């Protein structure tokens, strides 16, 4: 257990490990059979971690991205949990978003040189990163008036072209929802539509894979 608020929890594919991160700025990995102490602690953020997203290509290949109020996104190697490697060996990249980071999302890549795109949201900006090189490939104003608080990706079936296109949905303290198109080959993002659903802040979103995809806040 920790004495500060936990902001994000992620399951590993093996069903035995859980990752947590929160206001103390530390990433922890726990084993369910011994939850009294973590099997791994990763330190480096200078402020609270607000979001964490785990990506696993296989059961043993694991990478986690964390976003913090210190304006950075960090990528951590969290595979080989039996290893005694120090924290310095776990941090792969430090990415400067330029504002407190509130949300992260992995997005499928159609580029053979990029395993997945990583999207970060902070302030009113969206940034897309190539996690393999640690470089930003796209930065846009998401057309929010206040801070973006949540971000999700949702597939959209284009019946005319018989293709699946990814949509990035953002919502924020301004009560606005913004919909963006993400190019899986280049990582470029562009705004396509926006709606105001209510006059109160939106802090969470989810979608369900129904015959017609729907999302809730």
């Amino acid at each position: 257990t920790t004495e500060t608020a936990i902001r994000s929890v992620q399951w590993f594919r093996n069903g035995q490990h859980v990752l947590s991160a929160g206001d103390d700025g530390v990433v922890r990995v726990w084993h369910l059979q011994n939850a009294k102490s973590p099997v791994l602690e990763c330190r480096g953020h200078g402020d609270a971690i607000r979001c964490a997203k785990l990506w696993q290509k296989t059961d043993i290949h694991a990478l986690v991205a964390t976003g913090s109020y210190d304006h950075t996104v960090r990528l951590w190697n969290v595979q080989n949990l039996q290893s005694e490697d120090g924290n310095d060996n776990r941090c792969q990249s430090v990415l400067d978003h330029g504002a407190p980071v509130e949300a992260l999302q992995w997005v499928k890549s159609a580029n053979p040189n990029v395993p997945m795109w990583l999207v970060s949201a902070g302030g009113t900006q969206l940034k897309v990163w190539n996690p393999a090189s640690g470089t930003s490939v796209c930065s846009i104003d998401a057309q929010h008036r206040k801070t973006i608080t949540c971000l999700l990706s949702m597939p959209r079936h284009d019946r005319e072209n018989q293709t699946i296109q990814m949509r990035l949905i953002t919502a924020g303290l301004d009560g606005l929802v913004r919909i963006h198109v993400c190019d899986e080959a280049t990582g470029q993002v562009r705004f396509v539509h926006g709606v105001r659903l209510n006059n109160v802040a939106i802090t969470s979103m989810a979608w369900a894979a129904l015959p017609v995809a729907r999302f809730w806040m």
Side-chain angles (χ1 to χ4, degrees), residues 10-112:
Q10 298 277 289
W11 280 98
F12 282 74
R13 287 173 59 169
N14 61 16
Q16 297 298 313
H17 291 91
V18 176
L19 181 141
S20 67
D23 284 2
D24 62 1
V26 181
V27 181
R28 294 179 173 87
V29 179
W30 310 81
H31 195 287
L32 296 184
Q33 292 182 349
N34 181 19
K36 293 183 178 180
S37 60
V39 297
L40 177 66
E41 291 188 343
C42 298
R43 302 175 184 272
H45 278 296
D47 207 332
I49 296 174
R50 295 291 295 180
C51 49
K53 284 290 183 178
L54 179 65
W55 175 68
Q56 288 190 271
K57 185 176 181 180
T58 65
D59 285 347
I60 61 173
H61 189 124
L63 184 70
V64 66
T66 53
S68 170
Y69 272 4
D70 66 7
H71 296 203
T72 69
V73 175
R74 285 180 178 254
L75 298 176
W76 308 88
N77 172 5
V78 289
Q79 63 189 25
N80 191 16
L81 295 175
Q82 283 69 44
S83 170
E84 298 298 327
D85 290 343
N87 294 324
D88 292 341
N89 295 329
R90 296 284 181 171
C91 184
Q92 304 291 293
S93 300
V94 180
L95 316 176
D96 183 10
H97 182 87
V101 181
E102 293 279 358
L104 295 167
Q105 185 68 53
W106 293 106
V107 176
K108 180 182 176 182
S109 169
N111 185 324

Side-chain angles (χ1 to χ4, degrees), residues 146-157:
K146 294 183 180 179
T147 299
I148 299 169
T149 56
C150 43
L151 166 69
L152 62 81
S153 61
M154 186 172 72
R156 178 182 182 274
H157 183 216

Side-chain angles (χ1 to χ4, degrees), residues 134-204:
T135 57
S136 174
V137 300
C138 178
S139 179
I140 69 164
D141 188 321
Q143 301 192 30
H144 281 274
R145 298 172 185 173
K146 294 183 180 179
T147 299
I148 299 169
T149 56
C150 43
L151 166 69
L152 62 81
S153 61
M154 186 172 72
R156 178 182 182 274
H157 183 216
D158 186 334
R159 295 184 179 180
E160 181 178 351
N161 298 316
Q162 292 299 304
T163 59
I164 300 295
Q165 294 182 329
M166 292 305 300
R167 295 290 191 262
L168 286 173
I169 317 295
T170 59
L173 297 178
D174 52 10
L176 299 176
V177 175
R178 296 300 193 222
I179 302 172
H180 317 265
V181 174
C182 180
D183 188 322
E184 297 179 11
T186 65
Q188 297 300 302
V189 173
R190 62 181 176 85
F191 171 80
V192 293
H193 185 55
V195 295
R196 177 185 290 277
L197 295 185
N198 50 46
N199 293 318
V200 299
I202 301 170
T203 59
S204 181

